[in-house]
Amino acid sequence: MKPPFTKILIANRGEIACRIIRTARRLGVKTVAVYSDADKDSLHVRSADEAVHIGGSQVSESYLRGDRIIEAAKSTGAQAIHPGYGFLSENPDFVDQVVNAGLIFIGPSAASIRAMGLKDAAKRLMEEAGVPVVPGYHGEAQELVVLANKANDIGYPVLIKARAGGGGKGMRRVERPEEFSEALNGAKREAKAAFGDDAVLIEKYVEKPRHIEVQVFGDNHGNAVHLFERDCSAQRRHQKVIEEAPAPGMTAEMRAAMTDAAVKAAKAIAYSGAGTIEFIVDASEGLRPDRFWFMEMNTRLQVEHPVTEMITGVDLVEWQLRVAAGEPLPATQDDIQLRGHAFEARLYAEDASKGFLPAIGTLHHLRFPEDATEGSTLRIETGVRSGDAISPFYDPMIAKIVTHADQRASALDALAQAVDETEIAGSVTNAAFLSALARDSDFAAGDVDTGMIARKQDALTATAAPGADVISFAALVASGARSDEQSNDPWTAIGGYSHFHPLSRGTTIGLGDTPITGRVTRLKNGRFSVLLEKSDRPYEYPAPGSDERGKRFAIWPGHVTVFDAGHAYTFSVYDPFAAAAESEVGASSMRAPMPGLAKLVMAAKGEAVSKGQALLILEAMKMEHTITAAHEGVIEDIVAQGTQVTDGTILVRFADQ
Ligand code: ADP
C-alpha cells in the first residue's frame, strides 16, 4: 500500500513520540522529531530520521511553542504534524495555525476539538445529541453562592471539575456543604495554573463509579466506527493506573448501548481521526445499560490506546495517518473483531509510599523483561534508555507495560510478572504498587471502581522491609566481591582488605538512615557467605555476576539495588560523615523533596506550629503538594511565596528548641 505521507513531524516527546515513529517507519514515512534542551539526547530524537531543536526545557519554551513547531515542519519539508497526546494535541488554535501554514494536522478538525474542548459545552452538546450525561450544573455562572446552591440542589457528594480539565487536575470531591468553598478555591487555583482557565462545573458524584471509555474513529467521508471499550477504573486521584480491554463483566446489551452512544457522539461533531468517549458508569448494581453517562471526549490518541490495539489487531497510529491523508477508514464496523484481553500498566518514577510523590533521577539501570509468559504477548512502550534522566520538566512516566492473552486471568498474570521482572535503579518507581494491584483479589475478580485504590491504598503501597537475605546480598555486592569471570584473580576484589583477614572483610551499607555492618567471607568453592552483625546465621550466595542464577542487582554511583519479588531495595554504600550532616539538618529544617514552586505559604516567621500543620503548598509536576510540619516548633525562616525551589532547598527552618 502507498505510504500516506512522505514525511511527518511529531510534536511530542517520550514514549508516544517513539511509538508514532515506529509506525511511520513501518509505513515508509520519514519522521522529524522536535526537542527541548533537556531532551537533546533523548530516545525519540535518536529514533527519528531528523530532529529539530525548538527551545528550552520548560514546556512553554518548547513543546508548547506551536510557532516553532510549524516552522520546523516547514523547514524540514514535513507534510503533516502528529501531536501525540498532551501538549498541543487538543489545542484548536494550534490546529488552525497548522492548517493555515498549509500543513495537515493528524487529528480532528479545530471545530471538533472546540466542540468537545470545554467539558460544560460538550455536555450541553451531547445532551442535544441524545447521549446520556452526568446530572449536574454545567452553566456559565461561577460565583461561589450560585455554585454552592447548585451543589445543594444536585445533592452531596458532588464533584467540582475544571471545565478545561484533563488528567484529573482541578477536580475536587466534596462531601459536605461546609467544605464546598475551600474545595472550590483549590480546584480553581489548580485549574488556573494548569489550564489558564478557572471555570468549573459541578456534577453529582457517582457512587461506585467505573470509568469505561469507547475508542471511536472517524474519517473525512462521514464514516465513524468504534473499537470497543476500555476499562480505566483503576485510578488514583482520578489518574489512570492500569487499563484493560474489554471491560470485565461487560454484557452484550451494555456494550451495544455504550458503543452506540459513542458513535452517535462522534457523528454529532463530524469527527475525524482517533477519539475517545469517556463514560462514567454506576456499577453499584453491576453493569446496566441505563447507568452510564457521558463525561467527556478526548479528541486525540489516548495514553492507553495499546490495549485497544492488542484486542483488535488494529494499528491506531496507522489509521490516524491514513485518515489524515484523506483515505477512508481502513475497515468497516463488521471487520473489527475483539479477541482476547489486554492490560496496560503505567510505570512511573514516583514514590508510592510517600503519597506518590513524583520522583526525578537518573535511570542508572533499566531493564525490561524480554519474553512474555507462555501464551501471552508482551509489549513495552518507553521513551527512555538506561542512563537517561527523569527530569522535573515532564511527566515522570518511564514506560507502559502492555500484555495480551486469550483470557483475562492469563493477561493479568503476564502483567504482574512483567512488572516484577522490570529492573530499575536510580529512581524510585511505582512498580511494587503496580504489582500489588495486579495481584489484588478484587482487581483479579474484575471488581474495581474508581475509589478502590484509595480504599486499599495502605495495603497496596505498604513497603516491605527487606529481609536479612536481601540485606546480606546487598552487603556482599557492596563489598566488591565478584565472580571469577569478572576478575581474573578473585582475591583482588576483596584483596585490598586482606590485611584484616585473608579470606574475609567487613562491609557497611546504609538502609535509609540505618547503617548495617556485616562480614563477607569467600568460601573455597568460590561462593561467598555473609554474616550480618545482628543476624543469627550467615547467608550463602554464588558470586555476584556469575552464571549461577542468584539475585538480580544493579550497582550505581554510591548505591546497590537488589531486585527481589517485585521490589527494588536500594542501599547506600555507607558514608558516615554524610549521614551525620544529613541528620543534623533534618532535625531543624525541612527540604523540598523535589523541584517546584512555593505556591502558597501558610505559615510565617516566628509562628509556633504543631506537628502535621500545613505550612505551604509546593506546586510540582503541575500538582499541588501540601508540605506539613514534621514536628512542632517555632519557625525561624520559611521560603517566600512564589519562590522557585530546587530539589533539596530548605523550605522551612525551625528555631532551636
Ligand atoms: P479529566 O479530564 O481531568 O481526566 P474526567 O472528567 O475525565 O477528568 O474524570 C476523571 C475521573 O474522575 C473519571 O475517570 C472518574 O474516575 C472520576 N469522575 C469523573 N466524574 C465523576 C463523577 N461525576 N462522579 C464520580 N467520579 C467521577
Side-chain angles (χ1 to χ4, degrees):
M1 233 195 291
K2 180 170 143 301
F5 298 104
T6 49
K7 194 192 268 188
I8 63 170
L9 178 142
I10 295 135
N12 215 299
R13 62 178 305 282
E15 66 88 16
I16 193 62
C18 296
R19 157 78 191 86
I20 295 163
I21 291 168
R22 211 166 57 228
T23 289
R25 171 147 307 147
R26 183 172 63 72
L27 298 177
V29 177
K30 290 260 182 289
T31 53
V32 181
V34 291
Y35 64 96
S36 66
D37 288 345
D39 275 340
K40 69 177 177 351
D41 297 318
S42 291
L43 186 58
H44 79 280
V45 172
R46 301 285 137 170
S47 312
D49 295 305
E50 286 170 73
V52 180
H53 176 247
I54 50 166
S57 302
Q58 300 284 351
V59 294
S60 58
E61 295 169 7
S62 48
Y63 298 106
L64 292 178
R65 287 294 300 263
D67 53 341
R68 295 199 185 150
I69 290 168
I70 291 170
E71 192 45 49
K74 290 170 81 171
S75 68
T76 54
Q79 301 154 292
I81 297 181
H82 195 308
Y85 55 71
F87 298 134
L88 294 167
S89 61
E90 293 182 283
N91 182 326
D93 297 336
F94 176 64
V95 179
D96 282 336
Q97 286 150 18
V98 170
V99 172
N100 291 338
L103 301 164
I104 291 174
F105 180 76
I106 302 174
S109 66
S112 294
I113 299 179
R114 286 201 177 94
M116 291 296 188
L118 296 176
K119 290 183 205 276
D120 52 355
K123 283 182 71 177
R124 295 195 289 261
L125 185 70
M126 288 299 108
E127 230 164 14
E128 283 160 27
V131 176
V133 304
V134 191
Y137 174 72
H138 39 267
E140 295 288 335
Q142 291 297 316
E143 300 79 31
L144 169 64
V145 263
V146 182
L147 295 178
N149 278 331
K150 295 287 179 195
N152 287 337
D153 295 347
I154 295 164
Y156 283 85
V158 297
L159 191 66
I160 304 175
K161 276 187 189 181
R163 70 167 180 190
K169 282 167 202 137
M171 196 184 289
R172 293 283 193 285
R173 174 185 165 146
V174 197
E175 298 297 330
R176 282 176 290 275
E178 309 84 270
E179 294 161 5
F180 187 80
S181 142
E182 199 192 323
L184 182 67
N185 287 337
K188 281 184 173 281
R189 198 168 50 234
E190 209 168 287
K192 184 84 191 162
F195 317 111
D197 174 359
D198 69 357
V200 298
L201 58 149
I202 301 176
E203 286 180 0
K204 172 86 192 145
Y205 190 86
V206 178
E207 299 292 347
K208 197 163 167 69
R210 272 174 69 177
H211 173 122
I212 303 181
E213 56 187 34
V214 176
Q215 175 72 53
V216 292
F217 225 106
D219 64 16
N220 299 332
H221 307 275
N223 304 308
V225 295
H226 70 83
L227 292 99
F228 305 102
E229 77 280 0
R230 292 184 287 259
D231 193 315
C232 314
S233 302
Q235 302 188 344
R236 195 190 63 77
R237 293 186 57 199
H238 306 305
Q239 305 210 38
K240 298 164 187 168
V241 178
I242 295 183
E243 303 97 338
E244 62 179 301
M250 181 55 89
T251 62
E253 194 191 11
M254 178 78 163
R255 177 175 291 141
M258 294 189 81
T259 53
D260 281 355
V263 172
K264 204 190 273 178
K267 288 198 164 153
I269 55 167
Y271 195 77
S272 171
T276 295
I277 313 286
E278 294 189 334
F279 293 105
I280 186 161
V281 175
D282 173 351
S284 53
E285 293 173 295
L287 296 182
R288 294 179 34 170
D290 59 345
R291 299 233 180 129
F292 72 90
W293 301 279
F294 170 87
M295 263 193 309
E296 65 165 341
M297 178 171 193
N298 291 319
T299 52
R300 52 166 161 83
L301 192 66
Q302 299 270 99
V303 174
E304 61 273 23
H305 76 275
V307 294
T308 298
E309 297 186 321
M310 300 300 264
I311 59 155
T312 58
V314 168
D315 180 334
L316 291 170
V317 174
E318 173 174 359
W319 280 30
Q320 286 189 296
L321 265 52
R322 296 205 176 282
V323 162
E327 296 178 28
L329 281 179
T332 64
Q333 190 66 66
D334 288 344
D335 297 336
I336 305 165
Q337 298 294 324
L338 192 167
R339 196 187 70 76
H341 204 103
F343 283 93
E344 171 186 279
R346 300 186 185 194
L347 182 63
Y348 272 95
E350 62 183 13
D351 194 340
S353 68
K354 289 192 187 142
F356 293 89
L357 199 61
I360 51 171
T362 299
L363 303 174
H364 288 283
H365 174 93
L366 174 65
R367 185 183 293 158
F368 296 108
E370 274 155 30
D371 303 314
T373 54
E374 203 179 317
S376 72
T377 314
L378 172 66
R379 172 170 161 188
I380 305 286
E381 295 288 348
T382 186
V384 289
R385 301 149 296 188
S386 223
D388 282 353
I390 297 294
S391 78
F393 303 109
Y394 315 111
D395 183 73
M397 186 158 76
I398 299 170
K400 304 189 300 202
I401 299 175
V402 185
T403 58
H404 179 266
D406 286 343
Q407 301 296 326
R408 184 176 187 270
S410 1
L412 185 57
D413 191 48
L415 183 78
Q417 284 221 30
V419 170
D420 284 359
E421 285 170 20
T422 298
E423 299 175 3
I424 297 173
S427 169
V428 288
T429 76
N430 66 346
F433 165 66
L434 292 175
S435 171
L437 179 58
R439 293 172 201 284
D440 178 84
S441 57
D442 288 336
F443 190 73
D447 180 15
V448 61
D449 61 87
T450 64
M452 184 261 225
I453 290 181
R455 287 193 301 273
K456 296 189 163 193
Q457 182 149 329
D458 289 348
L460 293 172
T461 59
T463 44
D469 177 28
V470 168
I471 299 174
S472 304
F473 184 72
L476 172 64
V477 175
S479 77
R482 289 297 170 275
S483 68
D484 292 3
E485 300 92 78
Q486 291 177 321
S487 154
N488 292 340
D489 173 8
W491 292 99
T492 54
I494 53 173
Y497 293 80
S498 59
H499 52 278
F500 292 125
H501 188 286
L503 286 168
S504 71
R505 64 164 290 194
T507 179
T508 303
I509 53 174
L511 175 60
D513 295 335
T514 317
I516 301 171
T517 57
R519 180 150 290 276
V520 175
T521 304
R522 182 174 178 273
L523 308 173
K524 288 207 176 64
N525 58 9
R527 292 166 67 90
F528 289 86
S529 102
V530 182
L531 180 63
L532 296 180
E533 196 177 47
K534 293 194 178 109
S535 176
D536 49 357
R537 68 167 183 95
Y539 287 83
E540 196 184 309
Y541 306 94
S546 67
D547 289 342
E548 196 181 335
R549 195 175 156 85
K551 290 188 191 302
R552 296 170 297 141
F553 66 96
I555 301 170
W556 49 289
H559 299 85
V560 167
T561 299
V562 179
F563 304 102
D564 186 68
H567 289 269
Y569 298 106
T570 293
F571 302 84
S572 48
V573 176
Y574 194 66
D575 176 352
F577 294 105
E582 189 53 40
S583 66
E584 193 187 309
V585 173
S588 60
S589 61
M590 295 175 58
R591 289 166 180 272
M594 58 188 307
L597 173 74
K599 189 93 182 256
L600 186 67
V601 174
M602 294 175 281
K605 264 184 210 177
E607 189 177 328
V609 296
S610 51
K611 182 175 177 192
Q613 183 176 334
L615 302 181
L616 62 122
I617 292 178
L618 186 69
E619 190 200 56
M621 303 296 193
K622 299 201 192 77
M623 302 271 280
E624 294 183 351
H625 306 275
T626 306
I627 305 289
T628 57
H631 52 77
E632 67 166 28
V634 174
I635 294 182
E636 186 178 282
D637 206 0
I638 187 161
V639 70
Q641 188 158 310
T643 310
Q644 196 80 42
V645 299
T646 57
D647 194 7
T649 302
I650 293 179
L651 296 172
V652 181
R653 192 189 301 281
F654 292 97
D656 290 341
Q657 307 282 315

